[in-house]
Amino acid sequence: MSSTIKDVAKRANVSIATVSRIVNNQTGYSEKTKKKVLEAIEELGYQPNAVARGLINRRTHTIGVLFPKLSSTFVTDLLSGIEKATHEAGSSLIVCHTESNGEKTMKYLQLLNEKRIDGIIFTSAPLIDEYYQYISKMNVPLVLLSTESYAYNVPYVKVNDRHAAYTATQYLIKQGHKDIGMISGNKDDLIAGRPRIDGFISALQDHNLPYDEQKIVTNQGFSFSDGLGSLKTLLDQSPDITAIFAASDELAMGAISAAYQLGIKVPDELSIIGYDNLSIAEMAIPPLTSVAQPLTEMGEVAANMLFEILNHDKVVKSRIMPHQIKERNSVKERK
Amino acid sequence: MSSTIKDVAKRANVSIATVSRIVNNQTGYSEKTKKKVLEAIEELGYQPNAVARGLINRRTHTIGVLFPKLSSTFVTDLLSGIEKATHEAGSSLIVCHTESNGEKTMKYLQLLNEKRIDGIIFTSAPLIDEYYQYISKMNVPLVLLSTESYAYNVPYVKVNDRHAAYTATQYLIKQGHKDIGMISGNKDDLIAGRPRIDGFISALQDHNLPYDEQKIVTNQGFSFSDGLGSLKTLLDQSPDITAIFAASDELAMGAISAAYQLGIKVPDELSIIGYDNLSIAEMAIPPLTSVAQPLTEMGEVAANMLFEILNHDKVVKSRIMPHQIKERNSVKERK
């Protein structure tokens, strides 16, 4: 007769509950105990059943992805790439929508832990200490997508926001604009807020163009309604600007809609460049020129990175994805 | 000593492999055999471990959702509602992106079967026989979202497309338009294509307004680029129209962009109403008047319907969600 969980517990000199916890990948035992129990399982040839065996040897072929906000085409584009790579790898995807809410995020991490997912892609939000500690305890690989961590050494996939903002501003300068404003997201956001502001200012300074604080309007977020409200404020502060760098496509589209309401012609009287190159950029009137982030590809790269860690247990390198200007019709050359 | 899988096999007079298949919810045994084995398990108090026990008594608390296309805000809005209800129910969501591809769909259904998901939400595509047969064999509840089946008795959540198209057309008529055209999706699509055309024609007929085939341009799909290409064709066929019913917001936004390129002013020279009320509708210039489908709510209702079947094992009723006109600025009254 084959061995039972009792035999394993006896041989390892631990309780049945401890063996069960270890077999079921739960927490609450030392590494030393785990080693002793796995040795006993090995020696006795304990095979409770195929499923339990799977828990020891195999993966669940499920990965978890955390998004701050689902109702944006930014996320759809990333998700579409993650989904493609995940299914190509024969795995499936559990999608968690955190709404940038700490409590919700922790709840989802617990859920992913219970599901024994193989790994996590954490997207487009700051990786705070509480999340990082919990994920470390889960002992699954983690990849950051469209975000990065200064505090922890976690592989990430993103564009260089500072460089991309510089490129956008430089594009406006090359089109002959000398008085340029910016509609920004949250200036205290160290991932997507501050770096884009810094890139904008650097570009102006490198080209000896005037800069003062009145050239920038900051917002809580990067949404259409933020952009809609920002244009008038910016033009009140800096009436002479001829071009605007908006730190997201939604901000840019909000600014274009506000210009339409104010009777300002884009691009004839005011040029606007966006950031992201979402699928909605081509739907703008005029179609929006934007700094392209290759979002779908970024999603694919992040998922593939996770599978590389899972399949080959190797240290992966973070990836800075190339950005580029996607020219449409919202910027006009100024002679 | 507790019983083993061998004891169960012996008592039920079947092979160990058969017991394993039954415990692991795999296929390849008769209902009679299953009954015999479950009885033996009961009698012997066989408890291989917590996980295997879970497989017999519990659910996996994971549901699968199939989407034809991820890169649209239509899907994001639905997904956001499904995700909310699913997580509130303590379950998680496996997202499958079929690209309207039969082979891919079957592969994902197999994957969901292997994951032993509790139920399926099938979204916005025709439920063909092959899918239905496979899902029936999986023996999990199925809810259709933004689609319906004529052939099978499957609960669904959607608006009445024919009524909603009628309402949109009637709205244009009430604004004084008498010569109205339509930009349609695929006329052979019996879920979202044909019914909207029928609703459009019914509204014209009920108001004694002229209709002929030249008033409609049909497309392969419902996308922005379809709409972009359709406006000129429609105006060539029917130069006198003053208003257009577009069968999706993306079609409408494509038409608005085409009008902009042609120098036609919306809504002053041409009124356009969309269908869906996606989050992008407010970003249009001018902001798009549209027939609102309550997409996020529809996603929630579909997921809750699935949990109702799962938790109470009861027959649920299909739900026709209310549609309504969301007035913005793309339709002008004609006096």
Side-chain angles (χ1 to χ4, degrees):
Chain A
M1 185 177 281
S2 63
S3 313
T4 67
I5 193 166
K6 277 188 192 169
D7 302 330
V8 175
K10 201 172 162 193
R11 166 81 68 130
N13 200 22
V14 298
S15 69
I16 292 177
T18 300
V19 177
S20 169
R21 273 204 299 279
I22 289 168
V23 168
N24 292 312
N25 264 346
Q26 292 164 344
T27 54
Y29 45 82
S30 69
E31 275 304 306
K32 196 176 148 199
T33 303
K34 183 178 177 183
K35 187 159 174 283
K36 219 161 55 174
V37 168
L38 291 179
E39 274 167 14
I41 286 172
E42 183 77 32
E43 283 161 27
L44 294 169
Y46 171 64
Q47 298 192 345
N49 68 16
V51 171
R53 230 174 21 249
L55 290 174
I56 301 170
N57 303 326
R58 268 190 345 204
R59 311 201 314 242
T60 58
H61 294 287
T62 308
I63 67 169
V65 56
L66 287 95
F67 283 112
K69 186 167 170 272
L70 272 177
S71 55
S72 97
T73 53
F74 181 82
V75 163
T76 336
D77 288 359
L78 288 175
L79 185 56
S80 158
I82 297 173
E83 202 271 352
K84 179 163 182 280
T86 303
H87 281 299
E88 275 172 10
S91 283
S92 41
L93 201 61
I94 293 184
V95 176
C96 302
H97 176 201
T98 67
E99 298 174 30
S100 304
N101 175 316
E103 206 177 311
K104 258 193 124 175
T105 306
M106 288 308 295
K107 202 182 127 221
Y108 290 146
L109 286 175
Q110 282 156 24
L111 186 100
L112 293 175
N113 190 29
E114 283 163 21
K115 297 278 175 199
R116 296 180 200 117
I117 46 103
D118 296 334
I120 292 178
I121 298 176
F122 185 90
T123 303
S124 204
L127 181 72
I128 67 171
D129 188 56
E130 193 185 8
Y131 309 159
Y132 179 74
Q133 297 305 340
Y134 191 92
I135 296 169
S136 296
K137 278 191 200 128
M138 285 172 72
N139 200 24
V140 296
L142 168 67
V143 168
L144 302 179
L145 173 57
S146 189
T147 182
E148 66 186 304
S149 169
Y150 296 106
Y152 309 108
N153 184 20
V154 180
Y156 61 86
V157 178
K158 67 189 284 294
V159 305
N160 184 317
D161 290 60
R162 185 189 298 254
H163 289 194
Y166 188 102
T167 304
T169 312
Q170 192 179 40
Y171 175 81
L172 296 174
I173 296 168
K174 284 186 179 164
Q175 299 296 312
H177 295 277
K178 292 185 171 25
D179 204 336
I180 302 172
M182 175 176 182
I183 297 178
S184 163
N186 191 329
K187 69 178 187 323
D188 299 321
D189 171 350
L190 296 181
I191 311 292
R194 194 70 231 171
R196 296 182 198 171
I197 294 175
D198 292 347
F200 169 71
I201 298 174
S202 295
L204 294 185
Q205 289 173 340
D206 285 358
H207 293 82
N208 300 312
L209 291 178
Y211 166 71
D212 64 74
E213 281 186 358
Q214 300 300 310
K215 291 277 165 63
I216 303 186
V217 172
T218 62
N219 290 282
Q220 279 298 100
F222 293 85
S223 71
F224 177 80
S225 62
D226 287 325
L228 196 62
S230 292
L231 183 73
K232 195 168 177 313
T233 313
L234 181 59
L235 292 176
D236 284 347
Q237 290 179 186
S238 297
D240 296 331
I241 59 172
T242 61
I244 294 174
F245 164 48
S248 79
D249 281 354
E250 290 208 11
L251 285 173
M253 291 183 75
I256 290 179
S257 285
Y260 168 76
Q261 287 166 16
L262 295 168
I264 299 169
K265 292 202 185 86
V266 177
D268 295 332
E269 297 167 7
L270 185 66
S271 289
I272 298 179
I273 186 169
Y275 187 111
D276 286 335
N277 193 35
L278 301 185
S279 47
I280 52 169
E282 64 163 345
M283 301 186 195
I285 294 178
L288 183 68
T289 295
S290 183
V291 190
Q293 299 202 61
L295 295 171
T296 303
E297 195 190 340
M298 285 164 68
E300 261 188 274
V301 167
N304 283 330
M305 196 178 267
L306 199 62
F307 292 117
E308 214 172 304
I309 303 171
L310 283 166
N311 296 334
H312 307 295
D313 199 19
K314 65 177 173 184
V315 178
V316 296
K317 293 191 188 68
S318 291
R319 206 79 73 78
I320 297 295
M321 302 294 286
H323 62 269
Q324 57 178 329
I325 301 287
K326 174 69 189 172
E327 284 190 297
R328 295 197 183 85
N329 306 109
S330 62
V331 175
K332 194 176 181 182
E333 201 180 342
R334 194 177 161 80
K335 288 171 185 153
Chain B
M1 183 177 282
S2 64
S3 312
T4 66
I5 193 167
K6 276 188 192 170
D7 302 329
V8 174
K10 201 172 161 194
R11 165 81 68 130
N13 200 23
V14 298
S15 69
I16 291 177
T18 300
V19 177
S20 168
R21 273 203 300 278
I22 289 168
V23 168
N24 293 311
N25 263 348
Q26 293 164 341
T27 53
Y29 45 83
S30 68
E31 275 304 307
K32 195 177 150 199
T33 303
K34 184 177 177 186
K35 188 158 174 282
K36 218 160 55 174
V37 168
L38 291 178
E39 273 167 13
I41 287 172
E42 183 76 30
E43 284 161 26
L44 295 169
Y46 171 63
Q47 298 192 344
N49 68 15
V51 170
R53 228 170 27 245
L55 288 175
I56 300 171
N57 302 325
R58 270 189 346 204
R59 311 204 313 242
T60 57
H61 293 287
T62 307
I63 67 170
V65 55
L66 288 97
F67 282 113
K69 186 163 169 272
L70 272 176
S71 56
S72 98
T73 53
F74 180 82
V75 164
T76 336
D77 288 358
L78 287 175
L79 186 55
S80 160
I82 297 173
E83 201 271 352
K84 180 163 181 281
T86 304
H87 281 301
E88 277 172 8
S91 283
S92 41
L93 203 60
I94 292 184
V95 177
C96 302
H97 177 197
T98 67
E99 298 174 30
S100 305
N101 174 315
E103 208 177 311
K104 258 193 125 177
T105 306
M106 286 309 293
K107 203 181 125 221
Y108 289 146
L109 287 176
Q110 281 156 24
L111 186 100
L112 293 176
N113 190 28
E114 282 163 22
K115 297 279 176 199
R116 294 177 203 119
I117 45 104
D118 297 331
I120 292 178
I121 297 176
F122 186 90
T123 303
S124 204
L127 180 72
I128 66 171
D129 188 58
E130 193 184 9
Y131 309 159
Y132 178 75
Q133 297 304 341
Y134 191 90
I135 296 168
S136 296
K137 278 192 199 128
M138 285 172 72
N139 200 24
V140 295
L142 166 67
V143 168
L144 303 179
L145 173 56
S146 190
T147 182
E148 64 186 304
S149 169
Y150 296 106
Y152 309 110
N153 184 19
V154 180
Y156 61 86
V157 178
K158 69 189 283 293
V159 305
N160 183 316
D161 289 60
R162 186 190 295 253
H163 290 193
Y166 188 103
T167 304
T169 312
Q170 191 179 40
Y171 175 82
L172 296 174
I173 296 168
K174 283 185 180 167
Q175 299 296 311
H177 294 277
K178 293 186 170 22
D179 204 337
I180 303 171
M182 175 177 180
I183 297 178
S184 162
N186 191 329
K187 69 178 184 328
D188 299 323
D189 171 349
L190 295 183
I191 311 291
R194 194 69 231 174
R196 295 182 198 172
I197 293 176
D198 291 345
F200 169 71
I201 297 175
S202 296
L204 294 186
Q205 288 173 340
D206 285 358
H207 294 80
N208 299 312
L209 291 177
Y211 166 72
D212 64 76
E213 280 185 358
Q214 301 299 309
K215 292 275 165 66
I216 303 185
V217 173
T218 62
N219 289 283
Q220 278 300 99
F222 293 84
S223 72
F224 177 80
S225 63
D226 288 326
L228 196 62
S230 293
L231 183 73
K232 199 171 173 308
T233 312
L234 180 59
L235 292 176
D236 285 347
Q237 290 178 187
S238 297
D240 296 331
I241 58 172
T242 61
I244 293 175
F245 164 48
S248 79
D249 282 355
E250 290 209 11
L251 285 172
M253 291 183 74
I256 290 178
S257 285
Y260 169 77
Q261 288 167 16
L262 295 169
I264 299 169
K265 291 200 186 88
V266 177
D268 295 333
E269 296 167 8
L270 185 66
S271 290
I272 297 180
I273 187 169
Y275 186 112
D276 286 335
N277 194 34
L278 301 184
S279 47
I280 52 170
E282 64 163 346
M283 302 186 193
I285 293 181
L288 182 68
T289 295
S290 184
V291 190
Q293 299 201 59
L295 295 171
T296 304
E297 195 192 339
M298 285 164 67
E300 265 188 271
V301 168
N304 284 330
M305 196 178 266
L306 199 61
F307 291 117
E308 212 173 305
I309 303 172
L310 284 165
N311 295 333
H312 306 295
D313 199 20
K314 65 178 175 184
V315 178
V316 295
K317 294 192 187 67
S318 292
R319 207 79 74 78
I320 297 296
M321 302 293 287
H323 63 270
Q324 58 178 327
I325 301 288
K326 173 70 189 169
E327 284 191 297
R328 294 197 183 83
N329 306 108
S330 62
V331 175
K332 195 177 180 180
E333 200 180 340
R334 192 176 164 81
K335 287 164 187 164

